[in-house]
Every structure is written in structure tokens, then in C-alpha cells.
Amino acid sequence: MEIICFNNQWTYYKEGRETSQILDLPHDAMIEERRSSDNPGGGAVAFFQGGIYVYEKNFSVPISWQEKCITFEFEGIYKNSKVYINGQEAGGRPYGYIGFYVNADNFLKYGEENTIRVVADNAELPNSRWYSGSGIYRPVNLIIQNKTHIDIEGVKISTLAYSPAKILVETASNGGEIAVAISYDGKIIATGNSSSIELDIPNAKLWSDQAPNLYQCHVTLTENDTIVDEVTVDFGIRLVKWCNKGLYINGVETLLRGGCVHHDNGILGARSYAKSEARRVKIMKDAGYNAIRSSHNPASKAMIDACDRLGMYLIDETWDTWYGHKNKYDYANDFNDWYQADIKSLVDRDFNHPSVIMYSIGNEVSEPYQARGVALTKEITEYFHSLDQNRAVTGGINLMIINLASKGRGIYKEENVEAAANKDTKKDSKKKEKANGSAFFNIMASMIGTGMNKMANSKAADRVTSPCLDALDIAGYNYASGRYKLEGKSHPERVLFGSETFPQDIAKNWAMVKRYPYLVGDFMWTAWDYLGEVGIGGWSYNKEDGGAYKPYPWLLADCGAIDILGNVGIEADFAATVWGLRDVPTIGVRPVNHPGEHYTKSIWRGTNAIKSWAWQGCEGNLAEIEVYVDADTVELLLDGKSCGKKKVKAYKTMFKQKYTHGTLTAVAYDANGKETGRSILESADANLRLRVTPEDTTVPSGEIVYIDIDIVGENGVVESNADTKLRVTVSGGELLAFGSANPRSEESYNDGSYTTYYGHAQAVVKAADSATNPAGKITITVSGNKLETETTTIYVEKESR
């Protein structure tokens, strides 16, 4: 089996436009679209426009391919895709988040030039509750096989036991004889000859989040003593078990320190690059997370690969929608015809990945209030089991939503949407026009506050939700922490976790995770900020932004514990402290540059504090200072002078202190008065300058690189109150995106200029190949008003011959 990258040199255009361009995949057409308050997708998709997008590519087909099997793999197209080969429809998929394959054998012209055309139809909005992107946003591959071959995704490896280790290797092919070889670190340790064979693995190195050991399974197919196909698959020896005593990975009780993550890659839009996905997983891992819930759709292949390599558990989710609409044009239109095919595609892709420990049947679907929905819950769960018995089946179940739906008060009913829009926006007709079911839920949640956690505590709610929850192997509870302590008596055999929780609740939630063995983890909303669903976490100083439903030009949800650039925020450090992974204080300061101004909060963000004591021009302004630590008391000092000492409650304490330029120090003490740790924040010195820091100094040709850009003082400290518009130019590569984490902006990530946010910005550059970059280096130049221009160089490795 030969797999060839098919991403380069596509001709792209939008229907209705006369111009076209040549580009490389992955590509997000939506991020290039016009944003305006009247776009029908509204704030859910960050006010971006939709459309119908066409991608074409010519390719030569040698006559020898007549004896081959040719298949195209599309890892993700949003949405309603159709694939044409030489003018004939060859395949496609309505769902925008699942990969699919198109066999080309009946459509090719051998010995000639051929054309493949892909149409992605994302014209009808609203169809999503968050930023979806448009077009071919994940990679495309060309797969070449002999007529006799191993099926694509036809090798499946199961861990039967871990001590001593035994695996089962099953191979599907259309003929020939199978040989299997298992290796670790390049050394073959087990072999066999069968399409279904059990193999002992001596002295096995197990896979877990703490030790992500990967083996290789090499399968050879022979016919008439000739090798006709070969496949190598990475896998890990990892056995998942669960009961009301806990979740066990290879016999070790495991608590999931989780975060929910949407699929977009920040300033890149929906484009999925392997570097971007691995970078995100690594940043989360370094921040203390050991689990991701891919909300609310299947993760990319690159993210799963990164979770395997780096040791991150993954709950791979299927859909946000079943047969009941959440938006007028969403996947409910196609769900009944395609859900089984989606499940099959997901399992075939995920089967060998040790990081995937659960499949999720969906997010906040209300259908299980009906007998039909309960039956579908059971059917989907059983279908997953029939395809894969190595993992648990779960779902992100919002008990409140199902309970309300049973009373005829469905969250996503149009009349509820309109009523909520009217209530939240009062006389603002622009806001009203853009409301949707997601907006109604967010508005209602904001009015109820964290009391929503107790909205499903009643016996009536328990009765209506139990048939769905009990059909799952492990039940995921969205915003229902009030039920955690009840379930040990009410449902003693039930295993559950917090599939979606408020980040500020992490201390009390984690205490329950440690107390109740049947509660196996917590997943905050969200670990990483994202495009769309604008402002649900925003703390705003603008009166017009006061409601949960934020107007244009809001761009981001503004609710991530890590921002869209990958900067780890206060809430992530708070969680790490609660998890016992951080033993020094974290100091956060609420923005000092809004003296006396009223601000509105959001229940999806516990604080708007940032890790900065650099606020030029704010001398004398009152600063609200938060300190997070696992200690008895904290003393705050400014330039060595004590500002007071306070008791720590639930890992947190607060101080108020007038801002002056200097050094802020937090010192933690135990109950005996012994110092346990200290941290400092410093002000930025005068004479601000640009600091341009590539995350890699050398990259392969065609690879992408992230460049962090900061405004700093002479002492290298980032200044938070001197934001300005910067300009980035690139030679020797392509500037893919440039932007900041500002949640409310009319600027574009695509034009090379953007205003910093609290002193930070970021560029993403793709290295040119050696044919167009003989110098073998990328030069990035950054300039800004009253700032000296800075240049940095990244070296490009030449392609191997």
C-alpha cells in the first residue's frame, strides 16, 4: 500500500466569483470570507459568511494503474461534499467532520490526464453552533494498491491482556496469505502467519498517559510467494476497564484531568496541520491535562496520532445533533441516513489508537426524552460494541435539557429561541435576527448561573434521564455536578464523569472525583479557546456586550483556559493546582486599565485575570489580584513590602492593591507558617520593543512554524497595556495567518496586519520548498508604530532525495 500526499496545487474558487487561485491543502474557505452582523450564521460561526466552494486538480494516470486499485482519502470536508472524477460523481459525504474514501477505479482514464473536482456546500446557514470552517480543511491522500491487497484500515489490533501481555491481530484482505511481525524500537519481538492470530508480547512496555509506549505491527500479504501488499500500524498495549470502583488503564486506577476542545486551530481557522494538532496536545499535556474530549465531532487523525505519541487520553465524539434540529440546516437533515456509516468510519479509523479510550454518541441531544430516542441510544451503543469491544461508550448528556424536553420545553424549539433573543437583546433587532438554539441555551445558563448544576437533581429528572444514562457504559454529565454525590445511592452501578463543567468549579468537582470512586473525571468547558459561539466566556466592559449573546464584531468564545495562541491562562494553572501538579502560587491580575468601570461576567469563565503586573499608564489604579495555591495562607508583597496575608479558601485568595511599577510577589505558607513556595510578576521596563520568537529554528521544507510576537520592556517582560497594530512580512515561505487572541475584533487573520492583545500576537508560516527557496531560509520581519522593526530567520531543511 502506497500512500501519497495529495494536498498540493489545487485550483480553488467560490461559486459566483470569477476569480480562482492555486493553493495547497488543508484550506479553510470560511476564514477568508466577509464578516458582518447580517450573516445568517450569526455569532455561532463568528459572523462569517458561507458558500459553495470548488477544488480541482489535474493528475496523470499511467497505464500501469489499470492493474492497481486507486483510492482517494479525504480526512475532512465541511460540508455536503461531492467528489467528481473526470466529470462523474464518484463519492462524497454530508457530514463535515468524518473522513471518507472514494475508489477511483471506475472513473479513471489510463495513460491520460485526469481531473478530480470536489464541491463543498456550506451555503445554507445556520447549520452549526460554533465556527465550522468550510471546504477541504483536512488533508487528502492518494492510496495505490495492487488488485490483491490488505483492506484500507483492515488491520485491527486488540489488547487481550497486559500481564503477561497478549494481543490479537486481525487482518482483512481480498486474497493472499498474511504474515505478521510485531516490533518495538526497531526490534522484532513476535511473529505469526494468520489473518487472525493471538501473540504473546514478552516484557511488554504498556501504553498510558504517563508512559506512551508504541509498538509497530507490520503485516505482509503474499500471493504466489510474491509480496503484493504491506502495511505498518502503530499501536499500544492498553486495556481499558471500568466499574463503579473506577476507571482502570492496565489495572491502574485513572482519573481524567480533562478539557473539552473544539476542532479549529485559532488564527488558522479550521485548517488541520499535524504540527498544529501536536502543538495543542503538547501544550495541554504540559499544562497538566491528561484527557481531551473532542467537542463535538470526531477529532482529526493528526490529533489522535499526537495523543498516542504524547500520552493523552481521548474521548472521540460523534455528533452534536441527532435527528432533532438545533439549527435549521444542521446535520439532522442527514442523520438518519448516515449515522451508522459515520460510526463505522469512526471505529475503523480509531481502532488501533491507544489514546482513544471512549467513544461518545453525541452532545446534549434531547431525543432521549422520547422512547424513540432511548431506543436509538441503545442501538448506537450496541453498534459501537459490535464493532469494538475494547472501549467504553459514553455521551455528553445534559440532564437538564432532556428533563425540560420531557415537559415540552425543548431548548432548541424555535419559539424558545425567539423568546430568549427578545429577552436578552431587548430592542436590539440585529441581535434578535441572529439568535439560535445555542444562543438560547447560553442565555438561559447565564441567567441561572452555576445553579444549573442542580437543575436535574429532582426525582422526575432522574426518571426521565436514567434510561439514556443506563444504556451507556460510562455516563457523561454536562453541567449536572449536583447529582454526583446522589448517584452512589440512587444508581450504585453507574459509572460517570463530568463531561462538561464550569472551569471555576474545578476545586469542588475534583474533590468529588477523589471522593467518589464511580466519578472518574472532569472535563472543563473549555480547555482551549475557539472561534465562534462568540463571547460566551467574555467578561466585557462595553455596555452593548452585556448579555450572554454578544454582537458583531465579537469573534471568539473567549472561554478557554488556554487562549487561541496557546498561552496558558489562569484557569489552567488553577486546575493544575487543584490536581496537585503545581506547588508554587499562580498570580493573576484583573485588567488594571479599566479603573472604576463596570464589567459583566460569564459563567463560562471564572476570571478575566491574566498573569501580568505590567500596566504602563495605570499608576494608582486599583488592582484586583488573585492568587491560586494549595497552601494555608498567602502573603502578597510589592517591592518587598507586605500588602497583607490572607487565608486560602478552595485554593484561592484575593487582594486589592493600587498598581505601581515594580515586582509583585506571592509567598505561600503551610499551617505551621513555613514557606512552601513563591512566585513573582514584574512590570515591564521602559523603552518597549518587539520580541520575535520562532518556536522552531529549523523546519523541514513544506512544514509550518509558529512565531510568537510580543511587546516587551528592556527586561524582557511583556507589557499588557501598550497594544498596537503590527505588520508581518515573510520571504522564503508563506504567511498562513497572523493575529492575536483579542475576542472582539474586525481585523482579519489573512492580511498580515493585526493588533496585539495584552502584548501578544502570533504568526504561522509555511516553509517553501527548495525549488522556490534556494536560500534555504525563512525571514520574518515584524514592524509596528514607534517600535523598532525586528527580523528573525528560520532555516529550512532540504528535501531528501
Side-chain angles (χ1 to χ4, degrees):
M1 184 182 299
E2 182 182 4
I3 300 176
I4 300 172
C5 174
F6 209 68
N7 289 331
N8 296 338
Q9 296 294 295
W10 288 74
T11 300
Y12 156 77
Y13 61 92
K14 180 181 179 180
E15 280 198 0
R17 289 183 188 162
E18 295 182 359
T19 58
S20 64
Q21 64 184 104
I22 306 298
L23 54 77
D24 296 339
L25 304 176
H27 174 251
D28 179 8
M30 181 175 272
I31 203 70
E32 300 171 355
E33 287 284 11
R34 181 181 67 93
R35 296 179 67 226
S36 69
S37 60
D38 60 356
N39 277 333
V45 293
F47 302 100
F48 281 95
Q49 189 174 333
I52 299 174
Y53 308 97
V54 182
Y55 301 80
E56 295 181 348
K57 180 171 180 172
N58 295 328
F59 61 104
S60 298
V61 176
I63 293 176
S64 61
W65 281 11
Q66 286 180 315
E67 304 304 319
K68 302 290 184 180
C69 181
I70 308 300
T71 304
F72 289 98
E73 178 191 15
F74 297 91
E75 293 187 21
I77 304 173
Y78 199 90
K79 68 182 190 67
N80 293 326
S81 61
K82 292 187 177 181
V83 178
Y84 301 87
I85 300 174
N86 296 321
Q88 299 183 67
E89 185 174 343
R93 199 70 170 248
Y95 192 34
Y97 297 110
I98 198 73
F100 62 96
Y101 296 90
V102 175
N103 182 266
D105 293 344
N106 294 330
F107 307 97
L108 295 176
K109 298 177 180 178
Y110 300 99
E112 299 182 33
E113 192 81 353
N114 287 245
T115 301
I116 185 169
R117 179 165 62 98
V118 179
V119 179
D121 186 349
N122 193 24
E124 293 186 317
L125 303 178
N127 63 49
S128 177
R129 297 192 305 116
W130 60 87
Y131 179 86
S132 60
S134 298
I136 310 178
Y137 68 98
R138 289 177 178 169
V140 178
N141 293 303
L142 174 65
I143 302 172
I144 304 173
Q145 299 169 286
N146 288 318
K147 292 297 185 183
T148 302
H149 57 257
I150 298 167
D151 291 357
I152 295 172
E153 295 174 338
V155 177
K156 290 184 168 57
I157 305 154
S158 302
T159 299
L160 302 179
Y162 60 87
S163 183
K166 182 186 289 289
I167 64 171
L168 170 66
V169 181
E170 299 173 287
T171 304
S173 66
N174 64 354
E177 297 178 347
I178 298 292
V180 176
I182 306 299
S183 63
Y184 182 84
D185 198 23
K187 181 180 179 181
I188 295 177
I189 56 175
T191 60
N193 296 285
S194 176
S195 61
S196 179
I197 187 169
E198 295 183 9
L199 295 171
D200 295 321
I201 308 298
N203 303 313
K205 296 183 180 296
L206 308 182
W207 189 98
S208 70
D209 64 316
Q210 297 181 22
N213 297 299
L214 291 174
Y215 285 76
Q216 288 71 48
C217 175
H218 185 73
V219 180
T220 303
L221 182 70
T222 59
E223 188 175 50
N224 299 322
D225 296 325
T226 300
I227 296 175
V228 293
D229 203 359
E230 295 179 88
V231 173
T232 300
V233 176
D234 288 343
F235 72 98
I237 297 173
R238 189 271 296 126
L239 195 65
V240 184
K241 295 291 183 182
W242 58 93
C243 66
N244 61 359
K245 300 299 182 183
L247 173 70
Y248 298 88
I249 306 296
N250 295 326
V252 177
E253 185 179 8
T254 301
L255 303 180
L256 301 177
R257 306 187 304 269
C260 299
V261 174
H262 268 314
H263 75 293
D264 75 74
N265 275 305
I267 62 175
L268 287 168
R271 284 176 285 186
S272 179
Y273 292 94
K275 171 70 74 66
S276 302
E277 306 289 17
R279 176 180 182 270
R280 173 158 52 187
V281 173
K282 185 179 188 304
I283 289 171
M284 288 184 63
K285 176 94 175 188
D286 291 345
Y289 296 89
N290 72 349
I292 290 172
R293 175 181 172 222
S294 65
S295 313
H296 304 293
N297 45 259
S300 68
K301 291 179 74 171
M303 171 174 272
I304 301 172
D305 288 340
C307 289
D308 288 347
R309 293 194 309 273
L310 298 173
M312 180 73 75
Y313 299 118
L314 180 67
I315 299 175
D316 212 3
E317 195 148 83
T318 46
W319 318 278
D320 185 53
T321 302
W322 284 2
Y323 54 79
H325 283 280
K326 293 182 178 180
N327 283 288
K328 185 175 182 180
Y329 300 109
D330 63 23
Y331 191 56
N333 292 326
D334 300 291
F335 177 83
N336 286 329
D337 294 331
W338 283 92
Y339 71 92
Q340 289 186 330
D342 291 343
I343 293 171
K344 180 69 164 56
S345 295
L346 182 71
V347 172
D348 283 346
R349 185 195 68 172
D350 290 2
F351 196 96
N352 296 320
H353 291 279
S355 60
V356 180
I357 59 170
M358 296 188 219
Y359 298 118
S360 170
I361 68 172
N363 173 68
E364 292 187 345
V365 292
S366 60
E367 288 89 336
Y369 86 90
Q370 302 171 316
R372 177 187 173 192
V374 172
L376 183 58
T377 304
K378 294 177 180 178
E379 179 197 330
I380 291 174
T381 301
E382 290 168 1
Y383 188 46
F384 268 115
H385 288 161
S386 72
L387 298 172
D388 186 350
Q389 298 181 23
N390 302 319
R391 294 168 173 86
V393 178
T394 187
I397 307 301
N398 192 308
L399 286 69
M400 180 189 71
I401 286 178
I402 293 176
N403 185 40
L404 290 176
S406 72
K407 299 175 180 179
R409 295 159 58 193
I411 291 292
Y412 298 103
K413 284 188 174 181
E414 289 186 9
E415 58 267 28
N416 282 344
V417 173
E418 289 303 314
N422 284 324
K423 185 168 184 177
D424 187 59
T425 63
K426 296 184 175 68
K427 296 180 181 180
D428 191 334
S429 61
K430 289 184 179 180
K431 288 185 182 180
K432 177 181 175 183
E433 290 171 3
K434 295 293 157 260
N436 60 22
S438 182
F440 169 61
F441 175 76
N442 296 338
I443 292 164
M444 185 187 68
S446 294
M447 291 188 292
I448 297 171
T450 55
M452 184 168 66
N453 288 319
K454 299 181 180 179
M455 288 289 288
N457 281 13
S458 69
K459 291 182 179 179
D462 187 29
R463 282 194 300 271
V464 74
T465 56
S466 283
C468 165
L469 296 170
D470 288 338
L472 302 170
D473 297 320
I474 301 177
Y477 283 29
N478 282 18
Y479 309 109
S481 59
R483 288 210 58 87
Y484 293 171
K485 64 182 179 181
L486 307 176
E487 303 303 52
K489 292 183 178 179
S490 300
H491 304 282
E493 298 304 314
R494 187 177 292 173
V495 189
L496 58 133
F497 68 100
S499 45
E500 203 164 307
T501 62
F502 298 116
Q504 63 268 30
D505 290 345
I506 184 63
K508 63 181 181 181
N509 286 344
W510 199 250
M512 288 189 283
V513 169
K514 292 193 293 184
R515 183 180 305 127
Y516 305 120
Y518 54 82
L519 181 63
V520 301
D522 177 271
F523 287 72
M524 66 174 63
W525 190 266
T526 57
W528 197 286
D529 200 12
Y530 56 98
L531 294 163
E533 205 170 19
V534 298
I536 70 161
W539 286 35
S540 179
Y541 296 90
N542 298 313
K543 291 182 179 180
E544 64 269 25
D545 296 343
Y549 190 79
K550 300 293 194 294
Y552 179 85
W554 275 80
L555 174 65
L556 307 179
D558 197 25
C559 68
I562 302 169
D563 73 17
I564 64 165
L565 307 185
N567 296 310
V568 177
I570 289 292
E571 287 179 312
D573 284 350
F574 178 24
T577 300
V578 172
W579 293 331
L581 303 176
R582 187 175 175 85
D583 55 9
V584 297
T586 295
I587 309 170
V589 181
R590 295 183 182 177
V592 184
N593 54 355
H594 295 277
E597 295 182 36
H598 174 74
Y599 54 82
T600 56
K601 299 180 180 181
S602 164
I603 62 168
W604 276 283
R605 181 180 286 281
T607 179
N608 68 340
I610 65 172
K611 293 178 280 189
S612 173
W613 190 247
W615 302 91
Q616 69 171 23
C618 294
E619 296 285 332
N621 290 357
L622 188 64
E624 296 178 279
I625 302 161
E626 305 170 357
V627 181
Y628 298 87
V629 68
D630 186 4
D632 183 71
T633 57
V634 167
E635 184 178 17
L636 189 72
L637 302 98
L638 181 57
D639 287 336
K641 182 179 180 180
S642 179
C643 304
K645 182 183 285 189
K646 290 190 176 184
K647 291 284 286 184
V648 176
K649 297 181 180 179
Y651 303 91
K652 177 183 176 182
T653 190
M654 289 193 66
F655 297 84
K656 290 186 178 180
Q657 173 67 36
K658 287 186 178 181
Y659 175 78
T660 60
H661 183 281
T663 300
L664 193 67
T665 305
V667 184
Y669 300 93
D670 64 17
N672 297 318
K674 181 181 179 181
E675 180 178 331
T676 60
R678 63 172 58 204
S679 296
I680 67 169
L681 292 177
E682 294 181 287
S683 301
D685 288 344
N687 299 322
L688 298 180
R689 62 180 177 85
L690 290 169
R691 183 175 64 198
V692 182
T693 311
E695 295 185 3
D696 300 284
T697 55
T698 303
V699 296
S701 173
E703 183 59 274
I704 69 169
V705 60
Y706 283 77
I707 300 99
D708 298 319
I709 302 166
D710 304 307
I711 297 174
V712 301
E714 290 179 331
N715 57 350
V717 173
V718 175
E719 173 56 56
S720 299
N721 197 38
D723 288 320
T724 189
K725 180 171 282 193
L726 303 179
R727 180 74 186 174
V728 172
T729 57
V730 175
S731 64
E734 177 188 0
L735 179 64
L736 296 177
F738 174 55
S740 74
N742 189 349
R744 189 182 189 275
S745 176
E746 292 189 90
E747 296 175 298
S748 169
Y749 299 138
N750 306 310
D751 62 12
S753 63
Y754 215 91
T755 301
T756 57
Y757 187 61
Y758 292 133
H760 300 287
Q762 186 177 79
V764 184
V765 174
K766 182 180 178 182
D769 60 35
S770 57
T772 57
N773 182 20
K777 63 181 180 179
I778 307 168
T779 302
I780 296 103
T781 303
V782 185
S783 58
N785 185 35
K786 297 182 180 179
L787 293 167
E788 186 175 339
T789 297
E790 287 289 325
T791 298
T792 192
T793 299
I794 301 166
Y795 293 94
V796 181
E797 300 171 357
K798 292 185 178 181
E799 301 96 328
S800 58
R801 297 296 181 183

